[in-house]
Amino acid sequence: MRLQSAYTDTSVFGGVFDDEFTVESRAFFNLVRQGKLGLLVSDISRKENALAPPSVRRLFDEMLPFLQVVLVDEEVLRLRDAYVAAGIVSEKWADDAGHVAAATIGGADLIVSWNFKHIAHFDKIRQYNAISVMNGYRGIDIRSPAEVTEYENEE
């Protein structure tokens, strides 16, 4: 069985240090550390991380051995621009569309994000996937870390 790969934006890294999101964010990164989930980020994530608080930057650095970086190339930029042109997000939030484009083109099985406004939003997920398919790519699953956390079996 192939290891599933999850693309994440910086919201999950920051979530480790946010009281509301810490439990699920830590559980997500534990799955990665245990080798149960592959982890993809992009140049966009690295750029955002450089502006993050020191604790978030340290976590990002700790996860480097587990990361696969998707380069933001012309193909990613074209798909990102198609999302923006479709009105999924405005130009102001093009980096959020860039995350979805990088994950899609990078072959991630899913995107994991706490960004409920521009990425992990029911209507936006459908719109991103419609534009992806229209441009010759497959759709991608988008979830919050809470939805990919392992739970013990209840009996």
Side-chain angles (χ1 to χ4, degrees), residues 6-9 11-12 21 24-25 28 31 37 110-116 119-121 125 141-151:
Y7 177 98
T8 189
D9 61 7
S11 70
V12 183
F21 302 117
E24 293 89 351
S25 297
F28 170 77
L31 289 174
L37 199 58
L110 73 150
I111 297 171
V112 179
S113 177
W114 288 120
N115 183 338
F116 296 121
I119 298 176
H121 183 281
I125 294 168
D141 204 6
I142 303 176
R143 303 289 179 169
S144 74
E147 295 174 289
V148 297
T149 301
E150 289 186 337
Y151 295 97

Side-chain angles (χ1 to χ4, degrees), residues 3 5 7 19 21 38 44 49 58 61 71 84 89 94 104-105 107 120 125-127 132 136 143 151-153:
L3 178 68
S5 61
Y7 177 98
D19 290 342
F21 302 117
I44 301 165
N49 180 64
R58 279 192 299 278
D61 290 345
L71 300 177
V84 172
V89 293
T104 299
I105 291 168
I125 294 168
R126 292 184 332 185
Q127 293 171 24
S132 293
R143 303 289 179 169
Y151 295 97
E152 292 186 30
N153 291 332

Side-chain angles (χ1 to χ4, degrees), residues 51-64:
L51 303 173
S55 57
V56 176
R57 291 195 312 262
R58 279 192 299 278
L59 174 61
F60 194 91
D61 290 345
E62 288 171 22
M63 296 306 296
L64 284 174

Side-chain angles (χ1 to χ4, degrees), residues 1-135:
M1 181 177 213
R2 182 179 75 79
L3 178 68
Q4 287 211 329
S5 61
Y7 177 98
T8 189
D9 61 7
T10 49
S11 70
V12 183
F13 287 92
V16 168
F17 305 98
D18 184 310
D19 290 342
E20 183 178 357
F21 302 117
T22 190
V23 172
E24 293 89 351
S25 297
R26 288 179 188 275
F28 170 77
F29 286 115
N30 284 337
L31 289 174
V32 172
R33 286 183 183 104
Q34 294 166 8
K36 295 181 179 179
L37 199 58
L39 183 60
L40 280 75
V41 298
S42 69
D43 293 336
I44 301 165
S45 306
R46 294 196 303 191
K47 178 184 75 174
E48 291 173 348
N49 180 64
L51 303 173
S55 57
V56 176
R57 291 195 312 262
R58 279 192 299 278
L59 174 61
F60 194 91
D61 290 345
E62 288 171 22
M63 296 306 296
L64 284 174
F66 304 99
L67 296 179
Q68 177 183 340
V69 178
V70 178
L71 300 177
V72 176
D73 59 12
E74 287 302 314
E75 186 178 14
V76 171
L77 295 175
R78 275 193 304 275
L79 186 56
R80 178 206 64 190
D81 292 347
Y83 296 147
V84 172
I88 300 171
V89 293
S90 69
E91 184 65 39
K92 178 179 180 181
W93 304 108
D95 277 351
D96 291 337
H99 284 298
V100 178
T104 299
I105 291 168
D109 295 302
L110 73 150
I111 297 171
V112 179
S113 177
W114 288 120
N115 183 338
F116 296 121
K117 187 171 184 180
H118 300 125
I119 298 176
H121 183 281
F122 178 73
D123 288 331
K124 297 209 183 283
I125 294 168
R126 292 184 332 185
Q127 293 171 24
Y128 283 124
N129 284 330
I131 298 301
S132 293
V133 170
M134 287 173 45
N135 282 275

